[in-house]
């Protein structure tokens, strides 16, 4: 077995201002890769209760009163003492008004990576407007591509803007800035917004609008639900099966499995006028067997046909690929695990993950303001409660500054 090193971001210190969805997701990606992440929570009358952020894996928390000079001083002290990354999830101008904007903090710590995440562009028409995932993908153009031809555009829950274009995009930007810092010795501001991120993710279908591949309108093209052999079908038991048999050799295997060889479908694959009849035929055929029966037909074949699995069955069925793992496998420096692994049960090199965590990847662990904060401050800086800092009415404050700001 190859020698296993620590996770790739071991030693990187991250301050994550508490938020929802994209900011915490970026912080979780950093934490899963071994970074040490402290979430900065607000102080409130419910300070002993967890927030509704479930993306807390491997993180700790400190609660700070950002409206008070003592709270601002506490953040500045953490930055001056060597924080590597800061995640700002707020609307434009919020941290600047508190004296915690990038100009101020990069003056204090020139090596800081100041990660900023917004929905709309900071310099665009909608910069000062509130919005959610659906609005960001709407103005990016991506939403216009999603949905059936005979229905309104449909958002893919909040996966596209919040998580892919937002949190994951900011994570990528932070990694690029950390890499650049190795050469320059300097930090920088990293800005991500969900409009540009969504538009970038839609590069291929956007090009398709001009090339003729995807110019037939929403829901009428090869990959957007218009094509009968790139779609999903209900089975006899009310479950679903996915089909993606685009290439001719895969399509031929699909047709054999469905028992439809006599219909001459191979010659009609690219005839748009034939697609409605082909879809109707596929629909009726899939309804004749249960999902399990179709699995018995297509498992192990190249028909590009597979069951649509839901997370409830993935969680309880050990035969499925439901054990949640890091998104990439680093065999030499594996990321931290998402699923709890029994001792000696799996090879960390094979699965690319370190020690297991509670929850098996299906349930986020609550993190109340202040949870794990003392241990993390000790680990980061050797700070002890009552020495360098104290906690007053739930808020962390300095008692002895250790740097000259």
């Amino acid at each position: 077995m190859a020698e296993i090193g620590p996770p790739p971001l071991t030693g990187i210190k991250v301050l994550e201002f508490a938020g929802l969805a994209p900011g915490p997701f970026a912080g979780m990606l950093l934490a899963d890769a071994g970074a040490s992440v402290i979430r900065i929570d607000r102080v409130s009358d419910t300070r002993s209760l967890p927030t509704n952020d479930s993306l807390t894996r491997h993180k700790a928390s400190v609660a700070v009163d950002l409206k008070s000079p003592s709270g601002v001083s506490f953040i500045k002290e953490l930055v001056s003492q060597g924080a590597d990354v800061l995640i700002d999830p707020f609307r434009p101008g919020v941290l600047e008004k508190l004296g915690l904007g990038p100009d101020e903090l990069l003056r204090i710590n020139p090596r800081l990576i100041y990660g900023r995440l917004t929905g709309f562009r900071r310099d665009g028409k909608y910069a000062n407007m509130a919005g959610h995932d659906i609005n960001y993908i709407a103005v990016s153009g991506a939403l216009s591509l999603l949905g059936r031809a005979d229905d309104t555009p449909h958002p893919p829950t909040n996966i596209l803007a919040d998580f892919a274009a937002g949190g994951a995009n900011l994570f990528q930007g932070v990694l690029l800035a950390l890499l650049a810092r190795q050469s320059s010795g300097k930090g920088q501001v990293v800005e991500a917004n969900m409009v540009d991120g969504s538009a970038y993710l839609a590069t291929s279908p956007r090009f398709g609008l001009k090339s003729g591949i995807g110019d037939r309108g929403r829901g009428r093209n090869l990959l957007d639900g218009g094509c009968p052999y790139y779609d999903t079908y209900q089975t006899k038991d009310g479950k679903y099966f996915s089909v993606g048999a685009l290439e001719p050799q895969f399509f031929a295997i699909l047709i054999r499995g469905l028992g439809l060889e006599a219909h001459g479908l191979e010659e009609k694959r690219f005839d748009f006028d034939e697609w409605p009849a082909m879809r109707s035929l596929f629909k009726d055929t899939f309804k004749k067997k249960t999902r399990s029966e179709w699995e018995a037909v297509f498992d192990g074949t190249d028909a590009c046909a597979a069951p649509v699995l839901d997370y409830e069955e993935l969680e309880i069925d050990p035969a499925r690929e439901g054990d949640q793992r890091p998104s990439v496998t680093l065999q030499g420096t594996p990321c931290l695990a998402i699923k709890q692994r029994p001792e000696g049960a799996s090879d960390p090199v094979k699965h690319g993950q370190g020690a297991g965590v509670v929850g098996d990847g299906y349930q986020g662990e609550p993190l109340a303001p202040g949870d794990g904060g003392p241990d993390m401050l000790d680990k980061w800086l050797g700070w002890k409660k009552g020495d360098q800092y104290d906690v007053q009415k739930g808020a962390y404050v300095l008692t002895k500054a250790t740097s000259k700001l």
Side-chain angles (χ1 to χ4, degrees):
M1 182 183 298
E3 183 178 351
I4 302 300
L9 296 185
T10 298
I12 297 296
K13 302 179 180 67
V14 180
L15 293 175
E16 173 200 311
F17 282 95
L20 291 176
F25 187 60
M28 189 187 75
L29 289 169
L30 292 164
D32 283 344
S36 178
V37 180
I38 294 179
R39 188 179 73 190
I40 307 298
D41 280 302
R42 298 176 181 178
V43 177
S44 69
D45 293 336
T46 58
R47 54 182 173 267
S48 62
L49 299 177
T51 68
N52 55 358
D53 169 23
S54 61
L55 305 173
T56 61
R57 203 159 49 224
H58 308 299
K59 299 178 186 178
S61 165
V62 298
V64 178
D65 183 0
L66 294 177
K67 295 181 179 179
S68 72
S70 61
V72 171
S73 295
F74 187 85
I75 299 299
K76 288 183 176 180
E77 191 69 21
L78 290 178
V79 170
S80 74
Q81 291 289 334
D84 295 288
V85 179
L86 180 142
I87 297 177
D88 168 14
F90 302 121
R91 291 170 70 174
V94 171
L95 287 184
E96 283 88 343
K97 290 178 182 178
L98 298 174
L100 296 172
D103 291 343
E104 177 68 13
L105 296 190
L106 283 168
R107 181 189 63 79
I108 294 171
N109 179 1
R111 290 178 55 81
L112 180 69
I113 309 299
Y114 196 108
R116 318 196 78 174
L117 181 61
T118 58
F120 298 116
R121 290 177 173 176
R122 287 180 176 271
D123 61 346
K125 174 181 178 180
Y126 310 104
N128 296 318
M129 293 171 53
H132 279 296
D133 188 293
I134 190 172
N135 309 120
Y136 309 139
I137 62 175
V139 303
S140 78
L143 183 57
S144 70
L145 304 174
L146 306 176
R148 296 290 185 181
D150 57 351
D151 205 347
T152 59
H154 278 212
T157 181
N158 64 333
I159 294 173
L160 180 52
D162 278 352
F163 295 104
N169 199 32
L170 180 62
F171 172 67
Q172 174 182 260
V174 168
L175 296 183
L176 293 173
L178 287 170
L179 183 62
R181 193 178 72 175
Q182 291 183 350
S183 300
S184 69
K186 297 180 180 180
Q188 60 181 297
V189 176
V190 176
E191 289 195 355
N193 72 76
M194 298 173 222
V195 172
D196 289 333
S198 298
Y200 200 94
L201 289 167
T203 295
S204 181
R206 191 174 72 247
F207 288 173
L209 296 173
K210 302 289 187 180
S211 69
I213 295 176
D215 64 350
R216 302 186 68 245
R218 183 182 66 253
R220 295 181 172 89
N221 302 288
L222 192 66
L223 302 179
D224 63 1
C227 175
Y229 45 92
Y230 197 91
D231 208 341
T232 58
Y233 293 93
Q234 191 174 45
T235 55
K236 184 178 181 180
D237 52 351
K239 298 181 180 181
Y240 295 90
F241 224 79
S242 69
V243 171
L246 298 176
E247 293 79 3
Q249 67 273 27
F250 302 152
F251 186 83
I253 298 171
L254 173 70
I255 297 306
R256 286 201 300 271
L258 293 173
L260 299 176
E261 301 99 314
H263 291 264
L265 299 177
E266 289 87 344
E267 293 76 26
K268 302 175 182 178
R269 283 194 311 128
F270 294 117
D271 186 341
F272 297 141
D273 292 334
E274 293 290 340
W275 279 7
M278 189 183 300
R279 184 187 307 280
S280 180
L281 182 59
F282 285 0
K283 183 177 179 180
D284 291 342
T285 302
F286 271 104
K287 277 285 188 73
K288 294 178 180 179
K289 297 180 186 292
T290 66
R291 196 188 72 182
S292 294
E293 289 173 330
W294 284 120
E295 285 187 79
V297 171
F298 290 117
D299 277 2
T301 76
D302 284 343
C304 299
V308 177
L309 305 175
D310 60 51
Y311 281 110
E312 182 177 349
E313 61 185 311
L314 282 170
E315 186 176 1
I316 62 175
D317 185 352
R320 303 291 186 185
E321 297 178 353
D323 57 322
Q324 298 295 295
R325 302 177 185 176
S327 60
V328 293
T329 295
L330 299 177
Q331 293 191 353
T333 57
C335 293
L336 297 173
I338 295 173
K339 177 180 173 58
Q340 180 72 42
R341 292 186 290 106
E343 286 295 326
S346 61
D347 181 352
V349 173
K350 179 181 178 182
H351 292 164
Q353 55 186 354
V357 295
V358 175
D360 287 350
Y362 286 97
Q363 180 176 333
E365 290 298 305
L367 182 68
D371 279 358
D375 289 340
M376 194 70 84
L377 291 174
D378 189 12
K379 177 182 176 182
W380 273 30
L381 305 168
W383 283 9
K384 308 291 184 185
K385 183 180 177 183
D387 189 358
Q388 289 84 5
Y389 74 95
D390 209 338
V391 181
Q392 299 175 358
K393 296 182 179 181
Y396 282 61
V397 296
L398 296 173
T399 58
K400 183 200 302 181
T402 56
S403 69
K404 297 179 180 179
L405 301 180

